[in-house]
mmCIF file of all heavy atoms in Angstrom:
data_model
loop_
_atom_site.group_PDB
_atom_site.id
_atom_site.type_symbol
_atom_site.label_atom_id
_atom_site.label_comp_id
_atom_site.label_asym_id
_atom_site.label_seq_id
_atom_site.Cartn_x
_atom_site.Cartn_y
_atom_site.Cartn_z
ATOM 1 N N GLY B 28 6.070 -40.562 69.479
ATOM 2 C CA GLY B 28 4.990 -41.399 68.999
ATOM 3 C C GLY B 28 4.373 -40.887 67.709
ATOM 4 O O GLY B 28 4.832 -39.904 67.122
ATOM 5 N N SER B 29 3.316 -41.573 67.286
ATOM 6 C CA SER B 29 2.660 -41.257 66.016
ATOM 7 C C SER B 29 1.144 -41.187 66.191
ATOM 8 O O SER B 29 0.577 -41.840 67.078
ATOM 9 C CB SER B 29 2.985 -42.329 64.967
ATOM 10 O OG SER B 29 4.365 -42.394 64.700
ATOM 11 N N LEU B 30 0.532 -40.410 65.334
ATOM 12 C CA LEU B 30 -0.918 -40.349 65.221
ATOM 13 C C LEU B 30 -1.271 -40.161 63.759
ATOM 14 O O LEU B 30 -0.483 -39.593 62.989
ATOM 15 C CB LEU B 30 -1.499 -39.176 66.026
ATOM 16 C CG LEU B 30 -1.525 -39.285 67.546
ATOM 17 C CD1 LEU B 30 -1.917 -37.933 68.158
ATOM 18 C CD2 LEU B 30 -2.479 -40.365 68.009
ATOM 19 N N ARG B 31 -2.470 -40.606 63.399
ATOM 20 C CA ARG B 31 -2.961 -40.350 62.048
ATOM 21 C C ARG B 31 -4.287 -39.629 62.162
ATOM 22 O O ARG B 31 -5.257 -40.163 62.711
ATOM 23 C CB ARG B 31 -3.151 -41.653 61.278
ATOM 24 C CG ARG B 31 -3.490 -41.436 59.806
ATOM 25 C CD ARG B 31 -3.916 -42.720 59.160
ATOM 26 N NE ARG B 31 -3.949 -42.621 57.703
ATOM 27 C CZ ARG B 31 -4.770 -43.322 56.934
ATOM 28 N NH1 ARG B 31 -5.622 -44.180 57.478
ATOM 29 N NH2 ARG B 31 -4.741 -43.188 55.619
ATOM 30 N N LEU B 32 -4.326 -38.418 61.652
ATOM 31 C CA LEU B 32 -5.541 -37.620 61.664
ATOM 32 C C LEU B 32 -6.292 -37.807 60.352
ATOM 33 O O LEU B 32 -5.691 -37.987 59.293
ATOM 34 C CB LEU B 32 -5.215 -36.143 61.843
ATOM 35 C CG LEU B 32 -4.333 -35.772 63.039
ATOM 36 C CD1 LEU B 32 -4.208 -34.247 63.132
ATOM 37 C CD2 LEU B 32 -4.869 -36.353 64.326
ATOM 38 N N SER B 33 -7.616 -37.735 60.443
ATOM 39 C CA SER B 33 -8.473 -37.816 59.277
ATOM 40 C C SER B 33 -9.403 -36.616 59.246
ATOM 41 O O SER B 33 -9.817 -36.121 60.300
ATOM 42 C CB SER B 33 -9.309 -39.102 59.290
ATOM 43 O OG SER B 33 -8.505 -40.252 59.293
ATOM 44 N N CYS B 34 -9.748 -36.199 58.057
ATOM 45 C CA CYS B 34 -10.701 -35.105 57.857
ATOM 46 C C CYS B 34 -11.700 -35.561 56.816
ATOM 47 O O CYS B 34 -11.343 -35.740 55.643
ATOM 48 C CB CYS B 34 -9.967 -33.852 57.390
ATOM 49 S SG CYS B 34 -11.071 -32.557 56.779
ATOM 50 N N ALA B 35 -12.922 -35.781 57.260
ATOM 51 C CA ALA B 35 -13.983 -36.213 56.362
ATOM 52 C C ALA B 35 -14.886 -35.035 56.052
ATOM 53 O O ALA B 35 -15.194 -34.229 56.938
ATOM 54 C CB ALA B 35 -14.786 -37.335 56.992
ATOM 55 N N ALA B 36 -15.298 -34.934 54.796
ATOM 56 C CA ALA B 36 -16.109 -33.806 54.374
ATOM 57 C C ALA B 36 -17.451 -34.264 53.824
ATOM 58 O O ALA B 36 -17.569 -35.343 53.246
ATOM 59 C CB ALA B 36 -15.377 -32.991 53.316
ATOM 60 N N SER B 37 -18.437 -33.420 54.007
ATOM 61 C CA SER B 37 -19.733 -33.614 53.363
ATOM 62 C C SER B 37 -20.147 -32.283 52.759
ATOM 63 O O SER B 37 -19.711 -31.221 53.201
ATOM 64 C CB SER B 37 -20.784 -34.111 54.359
ATOM 65 O OG SER B 37 -20.944 -33.191 55.405
ATOM 66 N N GLY B 38 -20.965 -32.352 51.709
ATOM 67 C CA GLY B 38 -21.429 -31.132 51.067
ATOM 68 C C GLY B 38 -20.483 -30.564 50.035
ATOM 69 O O GLY B 38 -20.766 -29.514 49.445
ATOM 70 N N VAL B 39 -19.356 -31.230 49.822
ATOM 71 C CA VAL B 39 -18.368 -30.753 48.857
ATOM 72 C C VAL B 39 -17.516 -31.933 48.432
ATOM 73 O O VAL B 39 -17.317 -32.871 49.204
ATOM 74 C CB VAL B 39 -17.481 -29.649 49.458
ATOM 75 C CG1 VAL B 39 -16.610 -30.191 50.598
ATOM 76 C CG2 VAL B 39 -16.605 -29.002 48.380
ATOM 77 N N SER B 40 -17.002 -31.862 47.211
ATOM 78 C CA SER B 40 -16.063 -32.882 46.754
ATOM 79 C C SER B 40 -14.664 -32.350 46.959
ATOM 80 O O SER B 40 -14.223 -31.412 46.283
ATOM 81 C CB SER B 40 -16.307 -33.189 45.270
ATOM 82 O OG SER B 40 -15.336 -34.091 44.795
ATOM 83 N N LEU B 41 -13.937 -32.921 47.923
ATOM 84 C CA LEU B 41 -12.611 -32.407 48.256
ATOM 85 C C LEU B 41 -11.630 -32.539 47.103
ATOM 86 O O LEU B 41 -10.642 -31.811 47.040
ATOM 87 C CB LEU B 41 -12.060 -33.140 49.482
ATOM 88 C CG LEU B 41 -12.775 -32.893 50.801
ATOM 89 C CD1 LEU B 41 -12.037 -33.596 51.935
ATOM 90 C CD2 LEU B 41 -12.921 -31.408 51.087
ATOM 91 N N GLY B 42 -11.885 -33.460 46.193
ATOM 92 C CA GLY B 42 -10.966 -33.684 45.088
ATOM 93 C C GLY B 42 -10.755 -32.473 44.201
ATOM 94 O O GLY B 42 -9.768 -32.400 43.476
ATOM 95 N N SER B 43 -11.650 -31.508 44.286
ATOM 96 C CA SER B 43 -11.538 -30.312 43.452
ATOM 97 C C SER B 43 -10.849 -29.159 44.166
ATOM 98 O O SER B 43 -10.774 -28.054 43.623
ATOM 99 C CB SER B 43 -12.934 -29.846 43.027
ATOM 100 O OG SER B 43 -13.615 -30.868 42.341
ATOM 101 N N HIS B 44 -10.361 -29.413 45.383
ATOM 102 C CA HIS B 44 -9.890 -28.303 46.218
ATOM 103 C C HIS B 44 -8.500 -28.532 46.778
ATOM 104 O O HIS B 44 -8.064 -29.661 47.006
ATOM 105 C CB HIS B 44 -10.883 -28.077 47.354
ATOM 106 C CG HIS B 44 -12.218 -27.616 46.868
ATOM 107 N ND1 HIS B 44 -12.471 -26.301 46.528
ATOM 108 C CD2 HIS B 44 -13.363 -28.295 46.643
ATOM 109 C CE1 HIS B 44 -13.724 -26.185 46.120
ATOM 110 N NE2 HIS B 44 -14.280 -27.388 46.171
ATOM 111 N N TYR B 45 -7.848 -27.421 47.027
ATOM 112 C CA TYR B 45 -6.511 -27.356 47.618
ATOM 113 C C TYR B 45 -6.728 -27.386 49.126
ATOM 114 O O TYR B 45 -7.263 -26.438 49.689
ATOM 115 C CB TYR B 45 -5.859 -26.059 47.183
ATOM 116 C CG TYR B 45 -4.376 -25.934 47.362
ATOM 117 C CD1 TYR B 45 -3.594 -26.947 47.895
ATOM 118 C CD2 TYR B 45 -3.745 -24.759 46.976
ATOM 119 C CE1 TYR B 45 -2.229 -26.798 48.035
ATOM 120 C CE2 TYR B 45 -2.372 -24.602 47.111
ATOM 121 C CZ TYR B 45 -1.615 -25.625 47.644
ATOM 122 O OH TYR B 45 -0.261 -25.475 47.781
ATOM 123 N N MET B 46 -6.340 -28.485 49.754
ATOM 124 C CA MET B 46 -6.673 -28.710 51.154
ATOM 125 C C MET B 46 -5.458 -28.599 52.055
ATOM 126 O O MET B 46 -4.328 -28.894 51.646
ATOM 127 C CB MET B 46 -7.307 -30.095 51.327
ATOM 128 C CG MET B 46 -8.652 -30.231 50.646
ATOM 129 S SD MET B 46 -9.885 -29.090 51.326
ATOM 130 C CE MET B 46 -9.995 -29.680 53.021
ATOM 131 N N GLY B 47 -5.718 -28.215 53.291
ATOM 132 C CA GLY B 47 -4.621 -28.083 54.230
ATOM 133 C C GLY B 47 -4.995 -28.542 55.625
ATOM 134 O O GLY B 47 -6.182 -28.625 55.977
ATOM 135 N N TRP B 48 -3.979 -28.842 56.404
ATOM 136 C CA TRP B 48 -4.129 -29.104 57.831
ATOM 137 C C TRP B 48 -3.547 -27.905 58.582
ATOM 138 O O TRP B 48 -2.437 -27.445 58.271
ATOM 139 C CB TRP B 48 -3.394 -30.373 58.243
ATOM 140 C CG TRP B 48 -4.176 -31.622 57.970
ATOM 141 C CD1 TRP B 48 -4.063 -32.441 56.892
ATOM 142 C CD2 TRP B 48 -5.196 -32.177 58.789
ATOM 143 N NE1 TRP B 48 -4.946 -33.480 56.991
ATOM 144 C CE2 TRP B 48 -5.670 -33.340 58.152
ATOM 145 C CE3 TRP B 48 -5.770 -31.829 60.013
ATOM 146 C CZ2 TRP B 48 -6.674 -34.149 58.680
ATOM 147 C CZ3 TRP B 48 -6.764 -32.625 60.547
ATOM 148 C CH2 TRP B 48 -7.209 -33.771 59.883
ATOM 149 N N TYR B 49 -4.301 -27.452 59.562
ATOM 150 C CA TYR B 49 -3.933 -26.300 60.352
ATOM 151 C C TYR B 49 -3.768 -26.738 61.808
ATOM 152 O O TYR B 49 -4.482 -27.616 62.281
ATOM 153 C CB TYR B 49 -5.026 -25.227 60.282
ATOM 154 C CG TYR B 49 -5.264 -24.688 58.893
ATOM 155 C CD1 TYR B 49 -5.987 -25.418 57.955
ATOM 156 C CD2 TYR B 49 -4.774 -23.435 58.520
ATOM 157 C CE1 TYR B 49 -6.205 -24.919 56.676
ATOM 158 C CE2 TYR B 49 -4.994 -22.934 57.251
ATOM 159 C CZ TYR B 49 -5.712 -23.686 56.336
ATOM 160 O OH TYR B 49 -5.930 -23.187 55.073
ATOM 161 N N ARG B 50 -2.871 -26.068 62.501
ATOM 162 C CA ARG B 50 -2.643 -26.351 63.919
ATOM 163 C C ARG B 50 -2.835 -25.063 64.716
ATOM 164 O O ARG B 50 -2.339 -24.001 64.329
ATOM 165 C CB ARG B 50 -1.210 -26.871 64.141
ATOM 166 C CG ARG B 50 -0.810 -27.061 65.580
ATOM 167 C CD ARG B 50 0.580 -27.659 65.684
ATOM 168 N NE ARG B 50 1.601 -26.787 65.124
ATOM 169 C CZ ARG B 50 2.801 -27.203 64.713
ATOM 170 N NH1 ARG B 50 3.121 -28.491 64.798
ATOM 171 N NH2 ARG B 50 3.683 -26.348 64.225
ATOM 172 N N GLN B 51 -3.521 -25.186 65.820
ATOM 173 C CA GLN B 51 -3.655 -24.053 66.747
ATOM 174 C C GLN B 51 -3.098 -24.462 68.092
ATOM 175 O O GLN B 51 -3.722 -25.242 68.828
ATOM 176 C CB GLN B 51 -5.110 -23.596 66.870
ATOM 177 C CG GLN B 51 -5.249 -22.318 67.684
ATOM 178 C CD GLN B 51 -6.610 -21.670 67.510
ATOM 179 O OE1 GLN B 51 -7.579 -22.302 67.121
ATOM 180 N NE2 GLN B 51 -6.667 -20.375 67.795
ATOM 181 N N ARG B 52 -1.925 -23.969 68.403
ATOM 182 C CA ARG B 52 -1.314 -24.221 69.707
ATOM 183 C C ARG B 52 -2.025 -23.394 70.758
ATOM 184 O O ARG B 52 -2.606 -22.350 70.447
ATOM 185 C CB ARG B 52 0.159 -23.869 69.673
ATOM 186 C CG ARG B 52 1.004 -24.779 68.794
ATOM 187 C CD ARG B 52 2.377 -24.205 68.629
ATOM 188 N NE ARG B 52 3.316 -25.129 68.010
ATOM 189 C CZ ARG B 52 4.320 -24.752 67.250
ATOM 190 N NH1 ARG B 52 4.523 -23.459 67.023
ATOM 191 N NH2 ARG B 52 5.147 -25.643 66.733
ATOM 192 N N PRO B 53 -1.975 -23.807 72.011
ATOM 193 C CA PRO B 53 -2.638 -23.046 73.085
ATOM 194 C C PRO B 53 -2.175 -21.603 73.097
ATOM 195 O O PRO B 53 -0.971 -21.319 73.121
ATOM 196 C CB PRO B 53 -2.202 -23.788 74.350
ATOM 197 C CG PRO B 53 -1.906 -25.179 73.897
ATOM 198 C CD PRO B 53 -1.349 -25.046 72.513
ATOM 199 N N GLY B 54 -3.129 -20.681 73.048
ATOM 200 C CA GLY B 54 -2.815 -19.262 73.123
ATOM 201 C C GLY B 54 -2.244 -18.657 71.853
ATOM 202 O O GLY B 54 -1.823 -17.498 71.855
ATOM 203 N N GLU B 55 -2.216 -19.410 70.763
ATOM 204 C CA GLU B 55 -1.638 -18.909 69.528
ATOM 205 C C GLU B 55 -2.657 -18.901 68.393
ATOM 206 O O GLU B 55 -3.736 -19.468 68.496
ATOM 207 C CB GLU B 55 -0.410 -19.735 69.142
ATOM 208 C CG GLU B 55 0.722 -19.683 70.156
ATOM 209 C CD GLU B 55 1.967 -20.405 69.678
ATOM 210 O OE1 GLU B 55 2.053 -20.737 68.473
ATOM 211 O OE2 GLU B 55 2.855 -20.629 70.512
ATOM 212 N N GLN B 56 -2.261 -18.265 67.292
ATOM 213 C CA GLN B 56 -3.098 -18.235 66.100
ATOM 214 C C GLN B 56 -3.040 -19.591 65.386
ATOM 215 O O GLN B 56 -2.081 -20.344 65.518
ATOM 216 C CB GLN B 56 -2.578 -17.161 65.131
ATOM 217 C CG GLN B 56 -2.573 -15.756 65.679
ATOM 218 C CD GLN B 56 -3.854 -15.012 65.387
ATOM 219 O OE1 GLN B 56 -4.862 -15.619 65.035
ATOM 220 N NE2 GLN B 56 -3.835 -13.701 65.529
ATOM 221 N N ARG B 57 -4.043 -19.868 64.640
ATOM 222 C CA ARG B 57 -4.069 -21.062 63.810
ATOM 223 C C ARG B 57 -3.031 -20.899 62.694
ATOM 224 O O ARG B 57 -2.934 -19.837 62.083
ATOM 225 C CB ARG B 57 -5.474 -21.211 63.231
ATOM 226 C CG ARG B 57 -5.829 -22.567 62.688
ATOM 227 C CD ARG B 57 -7.304 -22.581 62.341
ATOM 228 N NE ARG B 57 -8.147 -22.581 63.524
ATOM 229 C CZ ARG B 57 -9.423 -22.189 63.529
ATOM 230 N NH1 ARG B 57 -9.965 -21.757 62.409
ATOM 231 N NH2 ARG B 57 -10.122 -22.230 64.627
ATOM 232 N N GLU B 58 -2.274 -21.964 62.416
ATOM 233 C CA GLU B 58 -1.246 -21.902 61.392
ATOM 234 C C GLU B 58 -1.360 -23.110 60.461
ATOM 235 O O GLU B 58 -1.728 -24.208 60.883
ATOM 236 C CB GLU B 58 0.148 -21.892 62.038
ATOM 237 C CG GLU B 58 0.432 -23.097 62.928
ATOM 238 C CD GLU B 58 1.825 -23.079 63.542
ATOM 239 O OE1 GLU B 58 2.693 -22.328 63.058
ATOM 240 O OE2 GLU B 58 2.050 -23.840 64.499
ATOM 241 N N LEU B 59 -1.005 -22.886 59.220
ATOM 242 C CA LEU B 59 -1.048 -23.944 58.207
ATOM 243 C C LEU B 59 0.224 -24.773 58.315
ATOM 244 O O LEU B 59 1.319 -24.225 58.208
ATOM 245 C CB LEU B 59 -1.169 -23.319 56.819
ATOM 246 C CG LEU B 59 -1.215 -24.249 55.622
ATOM 247 C CD1 LEU B 59 -2.437 -25.145 55.670
ATOM 248 C CD2 LEU B 59 -1.212 -23.436 54.328
ATOM 249 N N VAL B 60 0.100 -26.085 58.510
ATOM 250 C CA VAL B 60 1.295 -26.914 58.659
ATOM 251 C C VAL B 60 1.541 -27.825 57.469
ATOM 252 O O VAL B 60 2.670 -28.270 57.250
ATOM 253 C CB VAL B 60 1.256 -27.761 59.953
ATOM 254 C CG1 VAL B 60 1.237 -26.863 61.180
ATOM 255 C CG2 VAL B 60 0.057 -28.705 59.972
ATOM 256 N N ALA B 61 0.504 -28.112 56.683
ATOM 257 C CA ALA B 61 0.685 -28.980 55.515
ATOM 258 C C ALA B 61 -0.446 -28.716 54.541
ATOM 259 O O ALA B 61 -1.581 -28.476 54.966
ATOM 260 C CB ALA B 61 0.695 -30.447 55.920
ATOM 261 N N ARG B 62 -0.137 -28.758 53.244
ATOM 262 C CA ARG B 62 -1.179 -28.551 52.255
ATOM 263 C C ARG B 62 -0.925 -29.463 51.059
ATOM 264 O O ARG B 62 0.220 -29.776 50.740
ATOM 265 C CB ARG B 62 -1.283 -27.093 51.849
ATOM 266 C CG ARG B 62 -0.015 -26.459 51.323
ATOM 267 C CD ARG B 62 -0.258 -24.962 51.171
ATOM 268 N NE ARG B 62 0.758 -24.273 50.412
ATOM 269 C CZ ARG B 62 1.745 -23.562 50.927
ATOM 270 N NH1 ARG B 62 1.877 -23.495 52.231
ATOM 271 N NH2 ARG B 62 2.604 -22.957 50.147
ATOM 272 N N ILE B 63 -2.021 -29.820 50.399
ATOM 273 C CA ILE B 63 -1.940 -30.725 49.256
ATOM 274 C C ILE B 63 -2.874 -30.232 48.170
ATOM 275 O O ILE B 63 -4.047 -29.944 48.417
ATOM 276 C CB ILE B 63 -2.270 -32.181 49.682
ATOM 277 C CG1 ILE B 63 -2.134 -33.134 48.497
ATOM 278 C CG2 ILE B 63 -3.660 -32.273 50.311
ATOM 279 C CD1 ILE B 63 -2.131 -34.606 48.920
ATOM 280 N N GLY B 64 -2.339 -30.090 46.974
ATOM 281 C CA GLY B 64 -3.111 -29.602 45.859
ATOM 282 C C GLY B 64 -3.844 -30.716 45.134
ATOM 283 O O GLY B 64 -3.650 -31.899 45.401
ATOM 284 N N THR B 65 -4.656 -30.319 44.184
ATOM 285 C CA THR B 65 -5.405 -31.300 43.395
ATOM 286 C C THR B 65 -4.463 -32.137 42.525
ATOM 287 O O THR B 65 -4.774 -33.266 42.188
ATOM 288 C CB THR B 65 -6.441 -30.604 42.519
ATOM 289 O OG1 THR B 65 -5.787 -29.629 41.705
ATOM 290 C CG2 THR B 65 -7.500 -29.897 43.372
ATOM 291 N N GLY B 66 -3.329 -31.565 42.179
ATOM 292 C CA GLY B 66 -2.322 -32.303 41.426
ATOM 293 C C GLY B 66 -1.320 -32.991 42.323
ATOM 294 O O GLY B 66 -0.258 -33.427 41.867
ATOM 295 N N LEU B 67 -1.653 -33.081 43.606
ATOM 296 C CA LEU B 67 -0.842 -33.718 44.643
ATOM 297 C C LEU B 67 0.440 -32.970 44.957
ATOM 298 O O LEU B 67 1.371 -33.531 45.519
ATOM 299 C CB LEU B 67 -0.536 -35.183 44.295
ATOM 300 C CG LEU B 67 -1.765 -36.082 44.124
ATOM 301 C CD1 LEU B 67 -1.348 -37.513 43.862
ATOM 302 C CD2 LEU B 67 -2.682 -36.003 45.340
ATOM 303 N N THR B 68 0.506 -31.699 44.589
ATOM 304 C CA THR B 68 1.602 -30.857 45.066
ATOM 305 C C THR B 68 1.467 -30.716 46.577
ATOM 306 O O THR B 68 0.396 -30.413 47.084
ATOM 307 C CB THR B 68 1.521 -29.468 44.426
ATOM 308 O OG1 THR B 68 1.590 -29.610 43.005
ATOM 309 C CG2 THR B 68 2.654 -28.585 44.913
ATOM 310 N N ILE B 69 2.565 -30.934 47.271
ATOM 311 C CA ILE B 69 2.536 -30.933 48.738
ATOM 312 C C ILE B 69 3.566 -29.952 49.279
ATOM 313 O O ILE B 69 4.694 -29.902 48.787
ATOM 314 C CB ILE B 69 2.818 -32.346 49.281
ATOM 315 C CG1 ILE B 69 1.644 -33.273 48.965
ATOM 316 C CG2 ILE B 69 3.075 -32.321 50.782
ATOM 317 C CD1 ILE B 69 1.884 -34.711 49.321
ATOM 318 N N VAL B 70 3.163 -29.190 50.279
ATOM 319 C CA VAL B 70 4.069 -28.251 50.935
ATOM 320 C C VAL B 70 3.907 -28.401 52.437
ATOM 321 O O VAL B 70 2.779 -28.509 52.938
ATOM 322 C CB VAL B 70 3.768 -26.794 50.514
ATOM 323 C CG1 VAL B 70 4.714 -25.841 51.225
ATOM 324 C CG2 VAL B 70 3.873 -26.628 49.010
ATOM 325 N N TYR B 71 5.025 -28.398 53.157
ATOM 326 C CA TYR B 71 5.004 -28.500 54.616
ATOM 327 C C TYR B 71 5.642 -27.285 55.247
ATOM 328 O O TYR B 71 6.594 -26.708 54.711
ATOM 329 C CB TYR B 71 5.776 -29.740 55.080
ATOM 330 C CG TYR B 71 5.195 -31.042 54.618
ATOM 331 C CD1 TYR B 71 5.773 -31.751 53.566
ATOM 332 C CD2 TYR B 71 4.063 -31.570 55.227
ATOM 333 C CE1 TYR B 71 5.232 -32.953 53.136
ATOM 334 C CE2 TYR B 71 3.519 -32.773 54.803
ATOM 335 C CZ TYR B 71 4.105 -33.452 53.752
ATOM 336 O OH TYR B 71 3.561 -34.638 53.331
ATOM 337 N N ASP B 72 5.141 -26.937 56.405
ATOM 338 C CA ASP B 72 5.823 -25.944 57.226
ATOM 339 C C ASP B 72 7.134 -26.564 57.703
ATOM 340 O O ASP B 72 7.221 -27.781 57.931
ATOM 341 C CB ASP B 72 4.926 -25.566 58.409
ATOM 342 C CG ASP B 72 5.547 -24.490 59.265
ATOM 343 O OD1 ASP B 72 5.448 -23.310 58.890
ATOM 344 O OD2 ASP B 72 6.148 -24.833 60.309
ATOM 345 N N GLU B 73 8.144 -25.715 57.901
ATOM 346 C CA GLU B 73 9.447 -26.213 58.326
ATOM 347 C C GLU B 73 9.373 -26.975 59.643
ATOM 348 O O GLU B 73 10.156 -27.894 59.882
ATOM 349 C CB GLU B 73 10.432 -25.057 58.468
ATOM 350 C CG GLU B 73 10.957 -24.510 57.153
ATOM 351 C CD GLU B 73 11.770 -25.538 56.383
ATOM 352 O OE1 GLU B 73 12.524 -26.312 57.018
ATOM 353 O OE2 GLU B 73 11.660 -25.577 55.146
#
């Protein structure tokens, strides 16, 4: 299946920042799974 996650921010303009989505599996450390730069450079975890 599919889901669409959203992240809304206040107190900062996200357009100036390199943003990422992190995942924390049960019992594990938080890990970066996707990131997007201000120039729309995108990197994904394998």
